[in-house]
Amino acid sequence: MKLFDVYSLYEIEPVRGEGSYVFTADGTRYLDLYGGHAVISIGHAHPHYVQAISEQVAKLGFYSNSVQNSLQGRLAELLGKLSGYANYQLFLCNSGAEANENAMKLASFTTGRKRILAFNHAFHGRTSGAVAATDNPSIISPFNATENVVFTPLNDLEAAEQHLSTGEFAAVIIEGIQGVAGIRVPDDEFVRKLSDVAKKHGTLVIADEIQSGYGRTGKFFAHQHARLVPDIITCAKGIANGFPMGAVLISPEIEAKKGMLGTTFGGNHLACAAAIAVLEVMQEENLIENAAMTGDYLLSELKKMDQLKDVRGRGLMIGFDVEGSGSDMRRKLLFEKQIFTGGAGVSTVRLLPALGLTKEQADTFLNSLNQLI
């Protein structure tokens, strides 16, 4: 049997990691500014994280959600405290796509409506409902296509209100920052007014914080820059530093009913141990503050490089465009400078490093990039 050929692979295999670095079998060290696609939040092989999941798997790795699991309660308490949403309810699942699926389903259950408003260039996942709300026809199969999702331009309040005023929409779903679209930051004023319009028309607001949450932008969630208070928030990526996990944070105004949502693996013992360890490290090492500080430094220095176009982002979620091919630039950074970065579209380079990235590591990247542009 061979693997289903769906990924374009670099000719590199990391075999171990440490902090913001990964290493190949021959010992070559690479600075990781991609974080496995914004997943590595506290760094590779963090000692506290390794200890937490090692101790947990030695005790109990899994049991179903048919019994009590006190780790879920500990996670909910700590997440509520650090995020500012202590009065919200928590549903645990396995991925970002699953989190968004459950968020949209929950909005539909709550409002009795079936339509979702999403934004041009949005990416919400690859499962059935999540991909239907993703603005990329190339990954939407005929089975997934639906008239229940409508797309509208980001930052165009008038266009959004035209749709919402029909009273047909269960929810509007918006990314804290559009990641796959190339780090597109919604205007804070637009986000605030969108929430007002949605509330006026009985539509719930879902904040997709799968890539932009968990401290990445210098606040726990990116929507907090705009002082938005969503009805539902979705998380994944950095929530467990690489262990598969997703979460839905749900307003206390939304009623939970038995059987409304469910999962086999979601919130299992190992996942919760990993997620608790992540939050403990974030708090102990002030990683959100570091993301803000190091991110501001990176953004300011990148904006000084005249050869770059449209530098944008918040905290350690940064995108910029280069002349020519972004893919070529990423390959040069990888193979000539031993630096992992991400991409989007034709010319964009994305930076999604661990939140503990240091100024010295940022300078290593800046100096390398300056030599290549």
Side-chain angles (χ1 to χ4, degrees):
M1 182 181 292
K2 66 178 183 178
L3 294 174
F4 197 50
D5 189 13
V6 295
Y7 300 111
S8 297
L9 303 178
Y10 288 119
E11 302 82 17
I12 287 177
E13 182 182 2
V15 296
R16 70 179 182 91
E18 181 180 335
S20 291
Y21 296 99
V22 293
F23 301 79
T24 52
D26 65 2
T28 303
R29 186 180 76 169
Y30 294 82
L31 178 60
D32 183 9
L33 299 188
Y34 190 50
H37 200 76
V39 167
I40 302 301
S41 51
I42 62 170
H44 296 281
H46 191 286
H48 180 65
Y49 175 83
V50 171
Q51 180 181 2
I53 59 176
S54 298
E55 290 179 353
Q56 184 57 50
V57 75
K59 292 187 290 187
L60 181 66
F62 175 83
Y63 206 79
S64 79
N65 284 306
S66 62
V67 298
Q68 294 183 21
N69 178 354
S70 61
L71 290 172
Q72 294 180 353
R74 284 179 56 195
L75 173 57
E77 182 179 3
L78 188 54
L79 176 55
K81 177 183 176 182
L82 296 189
S83 69
Y85 287 98
N87 64 330
Y88 273 46
Q89 305 162 90
L90 180 64
F91 175 75
L92 296 169
C93 53
N94 307 285
S95 69
E98 189 180 343
N100 281 333
E101 291 273 348
N102 282 290
M104 290 185 285
K105 182 166 67 173
L106 188 59
S108 184
F109 271 132
T110 301
T111 63
R113 303 172 181 177
K114 62 182 181 181
R115 307 197 82 183
I116 300 292
L117 186 66
F119 292 94
N120 293 350
H121 310 298
F123 187 94
H124 297 294
R126 292 178 179 269
T127 54
S128 186
V131 78
T134 291
D135 188 21
N136 184 346
S138 68
I139 64 171
I140 301 175
S141 75
F143 171 74
N144 301 127
T146 174
E147 295 179 354
N148 290 331
V149 178
V150 175
F151 294 97
T152 191
L154 188 67
N155 295 323
D156 188 335
L157 186 67
E158 183 178 353
E161 184 161 21
Q162 281 185 339
H163 293 297
L164 296 177
S165 64
T166 64
E168 298 175 349
F169 288 85
V172 54
I173 185 168
I174 183 169
E175 293 164 271
I177 294 177
Q178 289 189 333
V180 176
I183 315 297
R184 303 296 172 183
V185 184
D187 294 339
D188 288 344
E189 184 178 8
F190 168 76
V191 172
R192 286 191 293 271
K193 290 184 176 179
L194 176 69
S195 177
D196 293 339
V197 169
K199 185 175 182 179
K200 175 183 174 182
H201 297 292
T203 300
L204 301 185
V205 176
I206 301 171
D208 178 342
E209 292 282 359
I210 287 160
Q211 190 172 135
S212 57
Y214 260 65
R216 179 149 299 281
T217 68
K219 290 187 180 292
F220 198 94
F221 292 122
H223 69 257
Q224 290 170 323
H225 290 279
R227 301 189 300 279
L228 171 67
V229 181
D231 299 288
I232 302 173
I233 306 163
T234 56
C235 312
K237 299 293 187 190
I239 189 172
N241 204 53
F243 197 98
M245 194 178 203
V248 187
L249 281 64
I250 306 160
S251 165
E253 281 75 39
I254 296 176
E255 181 183 0
K257 297 178 181 179
K258 301 296 184 185
M260 178 184 282
L261 305 178
T263 173
T264 296
F265 295 104
N268 67 71
H269 296 72
L270 267 180
C272 285
I276 291 168
V278 165
L279 291 172
E280 289 172 340
V281 171
M282 286 176 64
Q283 186 176 32
E284 178 69 23
E285 299 183 6
N286 300 312
L287 293 186
I288 297 176
E289 294 82 356
N290 185 74
M293 180 178 63
T294 307
D296 285 349
Y297 173 70
L298 260 174
L299 279 164
S300 65
E301 293 300 307
L302 288 167
K303 287 177 180 178
K304 295 176 184 177
M305 297 184 183
D306 294 336
Q307 303 94 323
L308 302 182
K309 303 184 295 181
D310 193 21
V311 177
R312 55 200 178 270
R314 272 177 167 156
L316 290 175
M317 188 171 183
I318 296 172
F320 58 86
D321 294 335
V322 298
E323 292 286 351
S325 168
S327 178
D328 288 347
M329 175 58 71
R330 295 193 300 275
R331 290 190 70 86
K332 288 179 181 179
L333 283 164
L334 182 59
F335 291 105
E336 296 180 25
K337 302 297 182 180
Q338 288 75 55
I339 299 174
F340 273 98
T341 57
V346 175
S347 60
T348 299
V349 175
R350 279 193 289 169
L351 308 181
L352 302 163
L355 306 184
L357 188 77
T358 66
K359 180 178 180 295
E360 292 72 24
Q361 290 165 338
D363 282 333
T364 295
F365 166 70
L366 292 166
N367 292 333
S368 297
L369 178 64
N370 203 37
Q371 293 168 17
L372 294 175
I373 56 178

